[in-house]
Amino acid sequence: MKKKLTWNTIFLLFSLYTTQFLGLGFFIEAFIGILRQNGVSLENLGFIYMLGLFWVFRFLWAPFIDKIYFKKMGHYRAWILIFQSLMVITLLFIALLHIDKNLPLIIVLSIFFAFFAASQNIALDAFAFKVTFKRQRSLINGIKAAGGLIGMILGGGFGLILYSKLGWHPTMFIMAILTAISLIQIFIYSEPKMKHANFIEKVDYKQYLTFWKTKEKKLWFILLFLYPITISSAFGITTPLLVDLNWSLDKIGFAVHIVGYGIGFLASFATSFLINKFGRKIILIVAAIGQIVGILMLFLIFKYHENEFLVMFIVGFIFLFYTPSQVLMTTLMMDLSSNKSPASQFAIQHSIYMFSGIFFSSMSVSLSGVLGYEKIIIICAFIGLFSIYFSTKIEFILKRNKNERNQAFNGS
């Protein structure tokens, strides 16, 4: 199998990861505001955030994407074509509906869209794993993080602006057209052929248990669960904290979506360079320390929230470690995935990581109302100390995993 990371491949991956989150960003962020404007109660808006659960549970159908192979179209390329097409078709169908008359149907279709996008993510992660070498994975995951941020900005921010200027139908048509660009790119792209040894014969759910049976994988499970807690909690409580400190929504939007996401976008690419230069262990530990410093800096906002420059700096600092943490962890997930079933093994690892991030981001906000922001910040910073400790074990985890693979290969 020939692997060559060309600019064409880089642009294709960036485009696919961007459009994957374009529609999701619209439905999770812009759609919330649109529904509220159309009189939907706050109690009925919470379910929209549940769309992200498809990313948590996508490991349930990932083995089928590993198993079912389209010989002429390419394995994962074919799946991307299928799900990307369904995403475009769903958006076009939604564009034909009236939000005031067909809201229940639009909501149902948004659920289908989230499923298609999560499924495209399964195939796309495996596709990226397949077409790149190990030394290129940090760059690929930097592209993934940056594309996700751009998609959320375009879908959530730009989508809301489009709706306010053009209305529902033109906005959804534009979303569909932007998503179709990636469809055209993957249609003309040729996926490298798989070796026969890399095919799997049956759908295997037992791997979700056997994957964690060794000592190093148990350590990795703990690190996967702990690592996103501190930074996700910092991200989760930043907006409600600023609201409670009487910051206007437009200022919060600028601080988070422009300053924060912008720094996160740049940091995602810088992380790739730093990983290759200093190694996974050092950057993993430094990022864990940065997460603790970031959430503790929120204490400064209580006293100096009228200093806009300082608040922007703190938000930027949080994002400086928010996206690199994702790049680091997804790179390690690829390192620990097998060649035979990369979609399944990456999905199960990422599902744990995402579940932890979503759960603690939500819980940090809810518990802040009971315990107060200050106690939650201290608790999450303390948890970050455990992330630092387990980060020191990453070389042991990677080395033992490599030795096991070599033994399995020599024994087969």
Side-chain angles (χ1 to χ4, degrees):
M1 180 171 64
K2 185 180 179 182
K3 297 181 181 180
K4 186 177 180 181
L5 189 59
T6 63
W7 281 107
N8 182 39
T9 302
I10 290 174
F11 186 64
L12 170 67
L13 292 172
F14 180 77
S15 178
L16 285 167
Y17 279 120
T18 299
T19 55
Q20 177 188 113
F21 285 93
L22 178 72
L24 185 70
F26 177 82
F27 287 116
I28 288 181
E29 295 191 9
F31 195 40
I32 290 287
I34 294 169
L35 290 179
R36 184 60 178 158
Q37 190 181 64
N38 281 268
V40 178
S41 66
L42 291 173
E43 292 79 3
N44 293 326
L45 288 179
F47 80 95
I48 293 294
Y49 293 105
M50 302 296 285
L51 295 178
L53 290 179
F54 281 112
W55 269 257
V56 175
F57 293 107
R58 68 190 189 280
F59 68 91
L60 294 174
W61 60 95
F64 293 95
I65 292 176
D66 271 328
K67 170 67 175 68
I68 302 173
Y69 175 66
F70 301 87
K71 188 174 182 180
K72 293 184 178 180
M73 297 173 65
H75 188 173
Y76 299 112
R77 172 180 174 270
W79 283 113
I80 294 171
L81 279 168
I82 291 170
F83 289 120
Q84 195 80 15
S85 297
L86 289 171
M87 288 162 63
V88 173
I89 292 170
T90 304
L91 289 173
L92 287 173
F93 193 14
I94 291 174
L96 297 174
L97 301 174
H98 295 272
I99 190 168
D100 53 341
K101 298 178 181 179
N102 310 112
L103 184 56
L105 180 57
I106 291 173
I107 291 173
V108 170
L109 289 173
S110 71
I111 294 172
F112 276 101
F113 180 89
F115 171 75
F116 298 145
S119 302
Q120 187 256 34
N121 180 263
I122 298 170
L124 181 53
D125 286 337
F127 177 81
F129 175 92
K130 179 180 172 183
V131 300
T132 57
F133 290 108
K134 182 177 179 179
R135 64 178 180 271
Q136 300 164 336
R137 287 175 188 163
S138 59
L139 173 61
I140 293 304
N141 284 291
I143 292 170
K144 174 178 180 175
L149 282 175
I150 294 299
M152 293 297 286
I153 292 170
L154 290 176
F158 183 63
L160 196 57
I161 294 171
L162 280 178
Y163 174 78
S164 64
K165 301 292 184 182
L166 304 177
W168 178 258
H169 302 296
T171 298
M172 298 312 300
F173 275 120
I174 291 172
M175 291 290 164
I177 292 169
L178 291 175
T179 305
I181 294 173
S182 298
L183 180 61
I184 297 170
Q185 289 176 275
I186 190 65
F187 183 79
I188 62 178
Y189 187 88
S190 178
E191 179 182 354
K193 293 182 178 179
M194 291 179 68
K195 294 180 180 178
H196 182 72
N198 288 341
F199 290 112
I200 60 173
E201 296 178 358
K202 62 180 181 179
V203 172
D204 180 20
Y205 281 104
K206 290 182 180 179
Q207 65 179 306
Y208 291 151
L209 295 177
T210 58
F211 182 84
W212 307 105
K213 68 178 182 180
T214 60
K215 180 181 178 180
E216 69 272 12
K217 290 294 181 62
K218 289 182 174 67
L219 288 173
W220 174 235
F221 180 93
I222 296 171
L223 181 58
L224 266 177
F225 188 79
L226 289 178
Y227 205 81
I229 292 176
T230 302
I231 199 66
S232 295
S233 298
F235 176 77
I237 65 179
T238 297
T239 295
L241 173 60
L242 291 175
V243 170
D244 290 346
L245 293 172
N246 298 317
W247 265 55
S248 62
L249 291 178
D250 59 331
K251 286 185 179 179
I252 295 174
F254 180 81
V256 175
H257 288 87
I258 304 300
V259 177
Y261 279 26
I263 291 175
F265 176 82
L266 296 175
S268 61
F269 287 108
T271 305
S272 173
F273 169 78
L274 293 172
I275 290 174
N276 291 328
K277 184 173 179 61
F278 298 105
R280 286 154 168 72
K281 179 181 177 180
I282 292 176
I283 304 304
L284 197 66
I285 294 171
V286 170
I289 295 172
Q291 292 178 16
I292 296 174
V293 175
I295 197 168
L296 289 175
M297 287 175 71
L298 290 175
F299 278 115
L300 295 173
I301 295 181
F302 290 107
K303 188 174 182 180
Y304 302 104
H305 58 270
E306 294 181 359
N307 187 331
E308 294 184 10
F309 177 81
L310 178 63
V311 173
M312 299 285 184
F313 176 81
I314 293 171
V315 171
F317 191 89
I318 290 172
F319 272 89
L320 187 63
F321 292 95
Y322 182 68
T323 48
S325 297
Q326 295 179 350
V327 174
L328 275 164
M329 295 302 282
T330 51
T331 299
L332 290 166
M333 290 174 210
M334 283 190 176
D335 290 343
L336 293 165
S337 297
S338 71
N339 290 323
K340 277 195 172 184
S341 53
S344 301
Q345 294 196 359
F346 186 90
I348 187 61
Q349 295 175 79
H350 200 258
S351 293
I352 293 166
Y353 181 80
M354 278 203 69
F355 171 78
S356 178
I358 292 172
F359 178 79
F360 283 97
S361 178
S362 174
M363 287 301 295
S364 64
V365 175
S366 299
L367 291 177
S368 290
V370 180
L371 302 176
Y373 289 113
E374 294 90 341
K375 290 182 180 178
I376 295 301
I377 290 171
I378 293 172
I379 292 171
C380 293
F382 181 74
I383 293 174
L385 295 176
F386 290 95
S387 295
I388 295 174
Y389 170 74
F390 283 101
S391 293
T392 63
K393 306 293 182 181
I394 194 61
E395 287 184 349
F396 167 77
I397 294 170
L398 292 172
K399 185 176 181 180
R400 286 285 297 271
N401 185 71
K402 183 178 180 180
N403 290 339
E404 285 185 6
R405 282 195 189 170
N406 290 337
Q407 290 175 7
F409 179 79
N410 294 329
S412 60

